[in-house]
Amino acid sequence: MKDWAIERGATHFTHLFQPMTGLTAEKHDSFISPTGDGKAIVEFSGKELVQGEPDASSFPSGGLRATFEARGYTAWDPTSPAFILESPNGATLVIPTAFLSWTGEALDKKVPLLRSMEALSKQALRVLRLFGNKSAKRVITTCGVEQEYFLIDRNYHLLRPDLLNAGRSVFGASPPKGQELEDQYFGTIPERVIAYMADCEAQLYKLGVPVKTRHNEVAPSQYEIAPIFEDSNLATDHNMLVMEVLRNTAASYGLACYFHEKPFAGINGSGKHNNFSMGTDTGENLLNPGDNPHDNAQFLVFCVAVIRAVAKYPELLRVTVASAHNDHRLGANEAPPAIMSIFLGDMLQDIMEQVEKGPATSTIQGGTMEIGVSVLPKFPKDAGDRNRTSPFAFTGNKFEFRAVGGSQSVAGPNTVLNTIVAESLDFVATTLEAAVAAGKDLNKAIQDLLSSILKESKKVLFNGDGYSEEWHKEAANRGLPNHRNTVDSLPVIVRKDTAELFGKYKVYTEKELESRFNILCEGYVKTISVEAKLTAFMGRNQILPAAIRYQGQVAEAVNATKAAGVEPAGSLELLKNLAATVGEFTKAIHHLEHELGHEAAGTVHDHAKYFRDKVRLAMNAVRVLGDKLETLVADDVWPLPTYREMLFIK
Ligand code: ADP
Ligand code: MG
């Protein structure tokens, strides 16, 4: 490994890990060791490959480690290939690793993910054995991440403290043109952007990331990149690399790149679609329905197991996508609602309805697309339409979990998905094994089992418009949970049944769950706190001075006009409006600063509640008035780049 790396210019190596910040961390060491006689040799020991010992106390541990209990280990993950990271003045051998505390708890996002993949493999194999499959040794969960992002000219980025520090604009009036013309999605990619994309893709190929798709997204200056799917562990590592390369390459093209879930109000934010399936080590996709799914018992079993998992654990799935950032998206009619439901499409929906009542006997076929123009080729048509509004949709031969936020790691969502599906497969395998042992016909046992699961789980199936008000009412009638914000969604993590579930499949210990709960509560508070402080700063030190200066100019104009013997009707009205708005704005900033200064008592969760109910609302109130001032103050006096400029100058 050392020779390979050095031949390619590497001078250093590093253990790359994913602490619970949701980012990656690395510490570099050189291959050079002094020999004591004034010389040095190049060496890389087995121990250095397998194990590292970074200080664990400076990463969030959610209470797992106190500051003085610093010892942490990184452990080589041989299932995620090492790679060489080139930089202008040298190269580094990067070794993907897991990150654990001295006491053995997972301090990262990789360890629980790997544990969940093992849990699922074990249960899925039991089911496969029932179908007579003796050759598969492992079942691998697969994942393909479609990543959305924004690109803004870097000059604007540097002039906006909010974008620079929080990745989100906390002020900005709606531009005259937003995304209403729907002229951006799949539009021609601007030249500077395509040059940037090609550069990123070339770098990603060198790192072994199989990127494939690129296009314009719905919002102005929004784009998407998607790789070919891989096993969930590798796909998660690679998504982190995709984000890093996109972020780091932007500056060379005079751009800034954002993954934030809502960088700009009033237009779509960024998410990532987490495509999920399960496959055997012999290459069989277990969620591939084939041509006649009604006849494909094995497919039906795996598909129904996923449906059962989502129906049984919607709150666990919901909490994996919870963050202060993602609260702006979920349920905002651009991303799926916070209600977890499944879209199957007409063909599968029909089959599941048949299965519920008795054995399924037919599959709706798509037929041929008749275009009515003889020069165009005919092509086979899908049996059902797509549905963008569903958080969890069956798309051909995989499920697509679409509620994940643009800046989030997909490790959490996949860890939970794998675990709840493992629990479902365990239930299925246990029931079928018992039935077969009791002499029941396997097919009969499957039919009975699937029918009973569907009766219970069908409440989660929904093919209609997930954005509509009717669905919110209907979902409430069906008893589906709807946690509209992060703070409401978090408590499930520390519930007893959650600890039992994750304990049973050895994915998270109770302590590890508690630490995640603490980190998520703290993360919520910190995010809103930073945004609120930026709002107060920009309001008081940038917007207010500009508005007052302009107010002075208008006052002078009013006086001069009067002195010239002309009635200053327009300027006087503007002056009154300005003075009144400046007054309200000042009060709103005071109020925000007051709310920020208040010491919240109670638990971390109480603290998060306080930030949701007080600080966040006070911050939003300041924004409304700041944005109103933007529409009143002269463009040449306004101190910040506007949405009109940032989003449309490409
Ligand atoms: P769309 O925009 O239509 O949703 P894309 O083609 O942009 O689809 O992305 C689909 C993603 O799903 C890709 O990353 C693809 O590799 C991935 N994918 C395809 N098959 C599987 C599978 N069996 N398991 C996981 N992901 C898959
Ligand atoms: Mg998609």
Side-chain angles (χ1 to χ4, degrees):
M1 210 164 189
K2 181 197 74 183
D3 291 346
W4 172 76
I6 289 177
E7 268 170 25
R8 283 159 185 77
T11 54
H12 288 66
F13 69 93
T14 179
H15 279 194
L16 181 74
F17 55 103
Q18 297 169 30
M20 293 185 283
T21 52
L23 305 169
T24 53
E26 54 193 44
K27 172 181 155 222
H28 296 212
D29 279 301
S30 149
F31 289 122
I32 299 279
S33 299
T35 49
D37 55 358
K39 297 182 185 159
I41 54 164
V42 170
E43 75 176 353
F44 183 48
S45 68
K47 180 166 184 278
E48 284 172 314
L49 167 66
V50 172
Q51 180 190 334
E53 208 197 306
D55 187 326
S57 63
S58 299
F59 297 101
S61 77
L64 280 178
R65 306 255 65 200
T67 313
F68 66 95
E69 299 172 319
R71 192 163 290 222
Y73 294 111
T74 50
W76 179 33
D77 171 13
T79 65
S80 183
F83 54 89
I84 290 171
L85 194 63
E86 292 172 342
S87 62
N89 297 322
T92 307
L93 168 65
V94 184
I95 302 155
T97 58
F99 184 39
L100 298 135
S101 76
W102 180 74
T103 43
E105 280 111 3
L107 291 175
D108 72 348
K109 291 177 176 274
K110 186 189 267 281
V111 172
L113 175 63
L114 288 170
R115 291 174 181 160
S116 74
M117 290 171 71
E118 267 189 43
L120 185 139
S121 177
K122 194 170 152 195
Q123 303 306 330
L125 281 176
R126 284 175 65 199
V127 175
L128 285 177
R129 297 287 183 255
L130 283 163
F131 283 101
N133 181 328
K134 293 193 183 75
S135 54
K137 290 193 183 62
R138 221 152 65 87
V139 169
I140 300 142
T141 56
T142 52
C143 170
V145 187
E146 302 163 57
Q147 173 74 51
E148 294 178 340
Y149 60 98
F150 277 87
L151 289 174
I152 302 297
D153 192 289
R154 187 168 158 81
N155 294 310
Y156 295 137
H157 170 74
L158 297 175
L159 289 170
R160 296 275 319 209
D162 46 0
L163 288 175
L164 199 63
N165 286 302
R168 169 167 103 85
S169 54
V170 295
F171 287 105
S174 303
K177 175 180 185 288
Q179 64 188 44
E180 57 276 76
L181 295 180
E182 301 183 322
D183 53 357
Q184 157 82 7
Y185 189 55
F186 284 8
T188 314
I189 303 174
E191 187 174 284
R192 172 159 62 151
V193 173
I194 203 155
Y196 160 83
M197 286 174 166
D199 186 341
C200 291
E201 286 162 3
Q203 293 179 57
L204 286 164
Y205 271 114
K206 277 190 174 180
L207 301 174
V209 183
V211 283
K212 183 172 165 75
T213 307
R214 58 181 178 212
H215 61 78
N216 278 9
E217 256 303 326
V218 170
S221 290
Q222 192 187 28
Y223 308 93
E224 179 178 302
I225 183 169
I228 297 171
F229 71 93
E230 301 172 277
D231 86 59
S232 312
N233 178 36
L234 202 49
T236 302
D237 285 0
H238 282 171
N239 180 244
M240 302 306 284
L241 279 177
V242 165
M243 290 199 283
E244 194 162 314
V245 167
L246 288 178
R247 197 184 292 118
N248 293 344
T249 307
S252 318
Y253 292 82
L255 296 165
C257 175
Y258 308 111
F259 303 109
H260 193 289
E261 284 70 6
K262 195 72 174 180
F264 303 99
I267 57 171
N268 279 15
S270 297
K272 40 188 133 197
H273 289 177
N274 184 84
N275 292 272
F276 164 89
S277 190
M278 299 164 266
T280 61
D281 55 345
T282 50
E284 184 186 359
N285 178 355
L286 299 173
L287 289 177
N288 185 359
D291 291 334
N292 290 306
H294 70 275
D295 231 6
N296 186 344
Q298 183 183 301
F299 162 74
L300 289 176
V301 165
F302 279 95
C303 187
V304 169
V306 176
I307 295 172
R308 178 182 173 279
V310 177
K312 192 163 175 204
Y313 302 103
E315 291 170 284
L316 285 180
L317 215 45
R318 164 68 180 93
V319 81
T320 65
V321 296
S323 76
H325 298 165
N326 216 12
D327 280 357
H328 296 282
R329 274 178 80 240
L330 297 182
N333 282 9
E334 56 165 71
I339 307 163
M340 294 296 130
S341 68
I342 300 181
F343 170 81
L344 287 178
D346 297 338
M347 185 253 290
L348 262 190
Q349 179 76 32
D350 171 66
I351 291 177
M352 293 307 170
E353 280 162 18
Q354 295 181 49
V355 172
E356 192 199 327
K357 294 189 190 97
T361 53
S362 65
T363 297
I364 302 177
Q365 298 295 337
T368 320
M369 188 77 165
E370 295 288 349
I371 305 175
V373 179
S374 59
V375 294
L376 296 180
K378 291 179 184 166
F379 55 83
K381 196 177 140 197
D382 291 306
D385 209 345
R386 293 171 67 113
N387 182 335
R388 286 178 60 101
T389 67
S390 176
F392 205 89
F394 187 77
T395 46
N397 55 7
K398 58 189 160 63
F399 279 99
E400 193 170 326
F401 184 31
R402 294 165 169 160
V404 187
S407 70
Q408 290 180 315
S409 160
V410 293
N414 284 299
T415 302
V416 167
L417 249 176
N418 294 343
T419 311
I420 62 180
V421 173
E423 191 275 333
S424 260
L425 291 170
D426 184 358
F427 171 74
V428 165
T430 305
T431 313
L432 294 180
E433 282 164 2
V436 170
K440 194 165 171 180
D441 169 56
L442 178 65
N443 279 323
K444 174 83 177 85
I446 291 174
Q447 171 56 39
D448 291 350
L449 175 63
L450 296 191
S451 171
S452 87
I453 292 179
L454 284 168
K455 279 199 178 75
E456 209 173 302
S457 303
K458 69 178 175 195
K459 59 176 188 234
V460 82
L461 301 178
F462 177 64
N463 274 355
D465 179 2
Y467 294 171
S468 67
E469 205 34 57
E470 295 85 73
W471 170 233
H472 281 74
K473 287 196 197 115
E474 164 74 13
N477 285 339
R478 294 190 191 182
L480 299 179
N482 181 6
H483 294 310
R484 287 171 196 267
N485 58 67
T486 297
V487 181
D488 285 346
S489 74
L490 292 174
V492 67
I493 302 177
V494 284
R495 249 171 31 195
K496 203 162 158 282
D497 52 337
T498 303
E500 277 162 16
L501 171 73
F502 286 106
K504 181 167 179 197
Y505 296 98
K506 300 193 166 46
V507 174
Y508 289 114
T509 64
E510 202 166 340
K511 268 174 87 180
E512 286 169 346
L513 284 169
E514 199 186 310
S515 84
R516 268 91 191 147
F517 174 75
N518 290 336
I519 287 172
L520 287 165
C521 289
E522 282 164 14
Y524 182 87
V525 168
K526 286 175 188 162
T527 302
I528 303 224
S529 164
V530 167
E531 289 181 354
K533 285 177 189 161
L534 280 164
T535 304
F537 161 74
M538 290 169 71
R540 192 175 281 294
N541 301 81
Q542 294 188 296
I543 295 178
L544 203 53
I548 291 171
R549 206 174 309 138
Y550 184 56
Q551 187 181 315
Q553 287 176 12
V554 177
E556 269 175 37
V558 168
N559 284 337
T561 310
K562 268 192 193 151
V566 178
E567 189 54 41
S571 42
L572 192 61
E573 190 193 308
L574 174 61
L575 181 60
K576 285 182 184 159
N577 200 351
L578 269 171
T581 313
V582 163
E584 286 175 58
F585 188 58
T586 312
K587 255 199 239 156
I589 295 174
H590 268 304
H591 179 59
L592 174 60
E593 287 166 342
H594 173 263
E595 299 290 40
L596 261 172
H598 174 88
E599 271 299 321
T603 63
V604 269
H605 192 244
D606 292 333
H607 210 50
K609 271 191 200 148
Y610 174 83
F611 270 75
R612 178 194 64 189
D613 298 336
K614 301 284 183 185
V615 179
R616 193 179 56 94
L617 296 187
M619 170 169 79
N620 293 349
V622 173
R623 179 185 185 136
V624 171
L625 292 161
D627 290 356
K628 181 171 174 202
L629 284 172
E630 188 185 323
T631 66
L632 295 176
V633 172
D635 194 46
D636 63 316
V637 179
W638 192 252
L640 297 167
T642 63
Y643 276 22
R644 178 178 55 78
E645 295 157 326
M646 290 190 286
L647 291 169
F648 292 95
I649 295 179
K650 299 172 187 175

